[in-house]
Amino acid sequence: MVSILDAMHERLGLTQTRAESAWGLTRTTARDQLTLMRAVFGGPTRISGP
C-alpha cells in the first residue's frame, strides 16, 4: 500500500511526501501541501488571513 501512495504522490508532483507503513500516517512539507492544493483545486494558491 505504501508504494501505491508514494506513486500517487509522485504523479501529483509531491517531491517530499512519503507514506509510512502505519495506516494513515504520511509525512509531508508545506511546499507539497500547496502543490496538492493546486492539483485538487487548480491554478495558483494564495493563503491569506482575514
Side-chain angles (χ1 to χ4, degrees), residues 2-3 13-14 19 21 28-29 31 35-36 38-39 47 49-50:
V2 171
S3 62
L14 308 178
S21 59
T28 190
T29 62
R31 182 179 303 270
T35 300
L36 180 60
R38 286 184 194 105
I47 299 175

Side-chain angles (χ1 to χ4, degrees), residues 6-14:
D6 283 338
M8 180 188 67
H9 297 150
E10 185 176 335
R11 287 183 64 186
L12 291 169
L14 308 178

Side-chain angles (χ1 to χ4, degrees), residues 4-45:
I4 294 169
L5 287 173
D6 283 338
M8 180 188 67
H9 297 150
E10 185 176 335
R11 287 183 64 186
L12 291 169
L14 308 178
T15 59
Q16 299 297 314
T17 300
R18 301 289 177 261
E20 300 291 333
S21 59
W23 185 87
L25 182 62
T26 302
R27 296 181 185 261
T28 190
T29 62
R31 182 179 303 270
D32 275 1
Q33 289 177 20
L34 291 173
T35 300
L36 180 60
M37 288 176 65
R38 286 184 194 105
V40 171
F41 298 109
T45 60

